[in-house]
Amino acid sequence: MLCENCGKRSATFHFTKIVNGEKTEMHLCDACARERGEALSFPGDAFSIHHLLSGLMPSVQTPGTARPPERLACPTCGMTYEEFVKKSRFGCSDCYDAFKEPLGPLLKRIHGVAEHGGKVPRRAEPKRAMRHRLQQLRQALKAKVAAEAFEEAARIRDEIRALEQALGETKAE
Amino acid sequence: MRIESFLERPLGPALLGTQPSGAVAVSSRIRLARNVRDLPFQARMTETAAAALLERVRRTLEHPPEGVAPLTFFALDDLTPLARRVLVEKHLISRELAESSPAAVVLSGDERVSLMVGEEDHFRLQVFAPGFDLKSAWALADRLDDWLEAHFEIAYDEAFGYKTSCPTNVGTGLRASVMLHLPGLVLTKQIGGILPAIHKVGLVVRGVYGEGSEAEGHLFQVSNQITLGPSEEEIIDNLRGVVEKLMEHEEKARRLLLDSMPVAIEDRVMRSLGILRYARTIDSKEAMNRLSDVRLGVALGLIHDVSREMIDALWVMTQPAFLQYTARENLSAERRDARRAEMIRRALRPAEPNA
């Protein structure tokens, strides 16, 4: 089969595009395909999980899904969960919090886990250290209460409150 | 530095190197995806906000990071479509960035670093290294990321890690990749069995030009798929382990070819060298595959008067946009094939016989 663009070289790229149920086929030689930018010819552009993404999303239309999250929307940028599924793209950094619930299972399907284990930006480090300290203090508090060392327990409780405030987490007691 | 300097040379100084690993591994790359916390992501980005981000980046460059060749800011809108395509062919920008506006790229003079601004993520930081060297590429990327973070509040969450536009990049935002030249595995027909095995260990392999075992020039890119969970070091170690195995297999396949069919292999690489030296017109696919043969011939010690670096440069020089750019005129497809043959001929001209 000859390339339908130049009509000279033989066609080595065969594309099928389906747009709104309408199927179009294209047969191009290598040179013309590359020129048209149709060839998946450079890294980062080839077919990958990227393109399968919306298939992995907990569907908004599937009946019988425990609680379809279609009404979820990001308060900051207004992106709905439905739009996110369609585009496979978040609208802003707050979308992560807005779609937190359905996001866990999705990330597990893509990455196998849903928890970051890599680099922590320097800015975030103090916060992380504070959280770690908070956990330690909470355990210490329990131990002191169990040992009926109430004076020390009160001191620890104050420290916990101060940390919680600094982290913007006020816990109802 | 002016953009022309980047467009006129096929390989930046940072990619020239004679590492032994270069016989199989052409180059290594680290890419980090980052976003600014209080700006909408690409899907919601306005033109004004994107333009403001570019301006902020430009100003930030007044306080450049240390230990990197001088960085230059280029707004994509100031570049011609042809210039953008050349940058894509050199992998300095992505095709997506080339089509984005407002967008920019910050390049280091040696082409080790490319920071794309306004791609799918606000920042896509790329660091390149010649041969098989993910370690130094990651070390530099990590440092540049610290610099970026000192000037921009980066979107990050303890549980999700770095928040990216697409959920496939979340966590580390890291894509580590190595470009491998695998003619041995292709010629011994082992590649078909190896590619699916690599997918199974969570890595992606693709042809750099063309797909699957049909990859032109027998060039493949191996990279990690998973970005969330493991640390950057673990991701890189995992990739490194698999790439090392692949390189071993490739070396073995090359030796097997040379031992079992020495005449056929020598004939193949010499024929290709002959065609490249004397052809008057050649299309991109044939050029890629002939160059692959010659690169193999150099690695096997069958060809002595051509350098590996020259082949790597020719791979870029014979791409359509690069040809067009250096020709300084609009080339038809036919003229382009002739021009390609001419460039290769000139680059591979045999040395004058000694008197």
Side-chain angles (χ1 to χ4, degrees), chain B residues 2-208:
Chain B
R2 296 168 64 236
I3 192 68
E4 288 76 15
S5 319
F6 293 98
L7 301 176
E8 279 157 9
R9 62 187 183 202
L11 298 175
L15 278 181
L16 300 174
T18 47
Q19 291 77 0
S21 66
V24 178
V26 179
S27 62
S28 306
R29 176 174 62 166
I30 293 288
R31 187 219 70 193
L32 294 175
R34 297 288 187 259
N35 288 280
V36 180
R37 200 187 65 188
D38 294 323
L39 278 183
F41 289 178
Q42 190 203 41
R44 282 282 188 271
M45 195 68 155
T46 62
E47 206 164 295
T48 333
L53 175 63
L54 295 200
E55 197 37 47
R56 246 183 101 184
V57 172
R58 196 201 288 270
R59 278 202 317 270
T60 305
L61 287 169
E62 288 164 16
H63 313 279
E66 283 170 23
V68 189
L71 298 169
T72 315
F73 177 99
F74 298 104
L76 270 283
D77 285 341
D78 295 341
L79 305 179
T80 63
L82 181 60
R84 285 179 239 166
R85 278 170 52 209
V86 172
L87 294 179
V88 171
E89 285 177 356
K90 294 182 74 178
H91 306 303
L92 289 173
I93 66 172
S94 63
R95 192 165 291 196
E96 182 165 351
L97 190 83
E99 287 161 7
S100 304
S101 170
V105 62
V106 177
L107 297 172
S108 71
D110 57 0
E111 296 184 28
R112 186 178 297 280
V113 177
S114 144
L115 173 65
M116 296 189 268
V117 189
E119 224 251 22
E120 182 185 300
D121 294 295
H122 296 144
F123 299 119
R124 286 280 177 97
L125 172 67
Q126 300 192 97
V127 176
F128 302 89
F132 182 34
D133 187 8
L134 290 166
K135 207 174 156 188
S136 79
W138 160 244
L140 180 55
D142 189 21
R143 256 188 325 112
L144 292 173
D145 180 43
D146 288 344
W147 167 77
L148 203 59
E149 184 208 307
H151 292 92
F152 295 88
E153 180 114 15
I154 299 296
Y156 175 86
D157 177 278
E158 263 183 56
F160 295 125
Y162 290 95
K163 294 173 170 179
T164 52
S165 202
C166 179
T168 53
N169 293 314
V170 73
T172 55
L174 168 71
R175 195 79 64 205
S177 52
V178 182
M179 197 200 288
L180 296 169
H181 183 221
L182 304 175
L185 292 176
V186 174
L187 294 179
T188 55
K189 306 226 186 301
Q190 295 179 71
I191 197 82
I194 285 173
L195 297 188
I198 291 174
H199 286 282
K200 276 190 195 143
V201 294
L203 300 178
V204 188
V205 196
R206 53 175 74 114
V208 175

Side-chain angles (χ1 to χ4, degrees), chain A residues 8-9 12-13 30-32 34-50 53 57 77-80 83-84 87-94 96-97 100 103-104 106-108 110-124 127-128 131, chain B residues 29 34 37 39-41 43-44 88 91 93-95 120 138 142 145-146 149-153 155-172 206-211 216 221 225-232 283-285 319-320 333-334 336-337:
Chain A
K8 279 182 239 155
R9 290 171 285 243
T12 48
F13 284 86
D30 160 66
C32 294
R34 190 170 295 170
E35 204 142 292
R36 283 212 187 171
E38 296 281 359
L40 305 172
S41 63
F42 86 114
D45 199 37
F47 187 80
S48 69
I49 193 164
H50 220 81
L53 210 56
M57 304 260 186
C77 71
M79 179 162 288
T80 62
E83 190 184 351
F84 165 64
K87 289 187 175 161
S88 304
R89 298 290 184 277
F90 294 104
C92 72
S93 67
D94 291 339
Y96 277 87
D97 305 304
K100 203 165 197 145
L103 202 53
L106 168 69
L107 292 178
K108 265 196 189 131
I110 301 173
H111 299 282
V113 289
E115 188 93 19
H116 178 56
K119 184 171 173 173
V120 178
R122 293 233 168 107
R123 278 177 212 254
K127 215 173 168 186
R128 183 181 251 206
R131 259 192 209 141
Chain B
R29 176 174 62 166
R34 297 288 187 259
R37 200 187 65 188
L39 278 183
F41 289 178
R44 282 282 188 271
V88 171
H91 306 303
I93 66 172
S94 63
R95 192 165 291 196
E120 182 185 300
W138 160 244
D142 189 21
D145 180 43
D146 288 344
E149 184 208 307
H151 292 92
F152 295 88
E153 180 114 15
Y156 175 86
D157 177 278
E158 263 183 56
F160 295 125
Y162 290 95
K163 294 173 170 179
T164 52
S165 202
C166 179
T168 53
N169 293 314
V170 73
T172 55
R206 53 175 74 114
V208 175
Y209 309 94
E211 279 297 288
E216 281 171 40
Q221 178 173 278
Q225 178 74 71
I226 286 163
T227 57
L228 180 67
S231 69
E232 289 81 359
D283 67 26
S284 155
K285 186 174 185 171
Q319 295 301 311
E334 266 166 48
R336 203 171 49 221
D337 287 353

